[in-house]
Every structure is written in C-alpha cells, then in structure tokens.
C-alpha cells in the first residue's frame, strides 16, 4: 500500500486526477472504476477542467460504478447513475459517453440477477484498469459493510444504520428516505481491479483509515483487504491521516517514491 498524506482535500484531488490523466494518456481505452459520495467530487471537477483544457478525455474509455441503491426512483438526483452522469457525462463533462457509463440496474425486477449481470459485464470487458474508492466511517468500500466476505463478487446487500445516518445528508437529513438495499461490487470484484486509488478526507474518516491501513486484515474493517492488493494507493488529507501511527514514515517514503 502506498500512502500519500497531503494538506487538504484539494491537494489529494490534484494528485488523484493527475494519476488518472496519466493512465488515459497511456491508454485512452482504459476502464475507470468510479466511486460516488462526496469524496471524489473534487477529483471529478479537476478531470472536467483537464478535459476542457484538452489534457484529458474519457471519449474512448469506459466507466463502471462501484454500487447503486436499489429501489430509488430513476429520476432521483441521488441515484448514483444520475450523480455520475452529472459529474462525468452531461455537457461533455469529460468526453465519457452515456452508453459507456455502466451502473448496476437498480430497476431490474430481480436485483440478484442485476448483480450477476453486472459482475459478468465487468469480467467481459477484462476488468477495471483503475478503481477510485472512498471509505465509509465504518470502513466499507463500495457498499461492502462490516462482515461481508473478503472474496465476495457483485451482490445485493443491506446498508448499515451508520451508513444510512452518514448518507442522510444527501436526502434532506431524512434517514427514512435513504434506501436500505443496494447492489455493490464485492470485495473480490474490487480487488480484481489492476490498480486501486482510495481517497479519504476529513477527521470523521481517521479511525477507518487507521484500521484499514495499520490494522489487521479483517471483514470487520472491509477496506483492510486493500493491504492484499499489489497496486493500491491511499491518498489522505492531514485530518484523515491523523490517527496513523507511522504517518511520518509514509510521508518520507512517498517523497522518495516520487523522487
Ligand atoms: P463520502 O462516502 O465520500 O460521501 O464520505 C464515502 C463512502 O461511503 O464510501
């Protein structure tokens, strides 16, 4: 795991966006795994700016979402497909075409079938080149809540109460408006991405960051599985890094690695 610690969320986003821009400069047909939630939004904004400046394009690429709510109306602004359309597709945001943005089918009459189809679609394209991730305060990545199998594939699951509390801010602070069910890439699916880029910012993430980076690999803190990935990079702001025991060493090593 490479761990980079930066002054603030903007600096994390700047580093993340340059990694993604380099990837698509090397291979414009790459497959980007896209996370939702608020953490990646500054990165998406920088990708849009780079697209406007002619330095970046997803026109030949594909994007796969990590997860989607089940039972959310198709026109709901918090439906993850809609969030990703706004950030990456609409008004030629990044060049990504609507048909090349793939999200689990939350309206499928049988969500289990939708989950299996989504897993097959990721496999058929040859897997994700680089997966962007956020982290939940309970350590989830995607919607893989504590106790999920560490090798699970895309599946239907239920949100923890803590996650629904955390996400209520997107639903007018009404927890009963937050869906209870989701389709999510499993930890096994996420681990099959060639490269992982996890972003975490803010004090509220400090405990989860400490556990996934320095704790034991355990289904109790699902993001800890990333310790088993050969190409996982974790980008943190000072607040999210504030519980790390070896923060100084990570800073030195990052500087040497960039060096
Ligand atoms: P956030 O969510 O980026 O909105 O904090 C992260 C997550 O739940 O994975």
């Amino acid at each position: 795991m490479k761990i980079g610690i930066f002054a603030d969320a903007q600096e994390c986003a700047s580093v993340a966006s340059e990694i993604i821009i380099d990837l698509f400069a090397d291979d414009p047909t790459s497959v980007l795994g896209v996370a939702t939630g608020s953490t990646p939004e500054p990165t998406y904004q920088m990708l849009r700016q780079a697209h406007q400046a002619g330095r970046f394009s997803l026109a030949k690429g594909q994007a796969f979402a990590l997860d989607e709510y089940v039972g959310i109306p198709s026109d709901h602004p918090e439906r993850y497909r809609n969030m990703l359309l706004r950030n990456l597709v609409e008004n030629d945001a990044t060049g990504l075409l609507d048909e090349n943005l793939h999200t689990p089918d939350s309206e499928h009459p049988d969500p289990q079938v939708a989950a299996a189809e989504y897993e097959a679609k990721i496999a058929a394209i040859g897997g994700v080149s680089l997966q962007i991730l956020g982290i939940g305060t309970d350590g989830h990545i995607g919607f893989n809540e504590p106790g999920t199998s560490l090798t699970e594939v895309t599946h239907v699951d239920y949100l923890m109460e803590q996650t629904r509390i955390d996400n209520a801010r997107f639903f007018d602070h009404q927890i009963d408006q937050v869906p209870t069910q989701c389709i999510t890439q499993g930890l096994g699916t996420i681990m099959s991405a060639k490269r992982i880029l996890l972003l975490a910012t803010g004090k509220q993430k400090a405990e989860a960051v400490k556990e996934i980076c320095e704790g034991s690999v355990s289904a109790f803190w699902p993001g800890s599985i990333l310790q088993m990935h050969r190409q996982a990079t974790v980008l943190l702001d000072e607040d999210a890094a504030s519980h790390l025991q070896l923060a100084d060493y990570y800073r030195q090593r990052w500087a040497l690695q960039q060096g």
Side-chain angles (χ1 to χ4, degrees):
M1 224 180 212
K2 282 188 187 169
I3 302 177
I5 302 174
F6 304 94
D8 54 29
Q10 283 301 108
E11 231 186 281
C12 289
S14 169
V15 175
S17 59
E18 292 304 322
I19 291 171
I20 297 163
I21 290 166
D22 283 352
L23 172 77
F24 279 83
D26 283 352
D27 180 1
T29 66
S30 294
V31 179
L32 189 63
V34 285
T36 46
S38 53
T39 308
E41 289 206 338
T43 300
Y44 296 151
Q45 189 187 7
M46 286 183 189
L47 292 179
R48 290 194 297 274
Q49 286 165 353
H51 180 60
Q52 266 178 11
R55 296 180 57 224
F56 173 68
S57 175
L58 284 175
K60 294 183 180 154
Q62 308 273 331
F64 278 79
L66 262 182
D67 46 18
E68 180 61 279
Y69 293 118
V70 170
I72 191 164
S74 61
D75 59 351
H76 197 293
E78 291 306 323
R79 183 188 183 212
Y80 285 162
R81 182 171 187 85
N82 295 337
M83 183 272 189
L84 291 166
L85 285 169
R86 285 194 302 277
N87 271 283
L88 301 173
V89 175
E90 286 169 9
N91 306 311
D92 190 28
T94 61
L96 181 66
L97 300 175
D98 194 323
E99 64 261 35
N100 291 339
L101 170 64
H102 309 281
T103 54
D105 180 2
S106 58
E107 291 174 304
H108 197 290
D110 185 343
Q112 311 278 354
V113 172
E117 287 176 356
Y118 195 65
E119 180 74 20
K121 209 172 179 186
I122 296 172
I125 205 157
V128 167
S129 316
L130 182 146
Q131 177 66 56
I132 303 169
L133 294 175
I135 181 113
T137 57
D138 62 3
H140 71 218
I141 51 175
F143 271 135
N144 291 280
E145 301 286 28
T148 308
S149 156
L150 294 174
T151 56
E152 184 63 283
V153 295
T154 304
H155 61 284
V156 179
D157 218 329
Y158 294 89
L159 272 56
M160 281 222 340
E161 186 72 359
Q162 184 59 51
T163 300
R164 296 184 69 228
I165 293 168
D166 290 345
N167 288 5
R169 69 190 194 281
F170 299 119
F171 292 84
D172 296 325
H173 297 276
Q174 312 270 313
I175 186 170
D176 55 330
Q177 298 294 308
V178 183
T180 54
Q181 213 182 10
C182 60
I183 296 173
T184 182
Q185 287 189 33
L187 294 173
T189 320
I190 294 171
M191 287 292 285
S192 70
K194 293 175 191 72
R195 221 168 144 187
I196 305 265
L197 196 55
L198 183 141
L199 291 152
T201 53
K203 266 240 161 345
Q204 72 282 8
K205 300 294 172 70
E207 185 191 9
V209 164
K210 157 89 186 150
E211 293 294 341
I212 69 157
C213 294
E214 295 183 335
S216 308
V217 174
S218 147
F220 192 79
W221 292 98
S224 63
I225 191 64
L226 300 178
Q227 293 177 33
M228 306 289 286
H229 198 286
R230 290 188 187 172
Q231 290 215 62
T233 300
V234 175
L235 303 178
L236 307 170
D237 70 357
E238 290 289 350
D239 283 341
S242 60
H243 290 193
L244 289 175
Q245 195 175 332
L246 299 181
D248 288 343
Y249 170 62
Y250 305 141
R251 283 193 190 87
Q252 287 161 13
R253 189 177 58 181
W254 182 273
L256 291 167
Q257 282 166 341
Q258 305 312 304

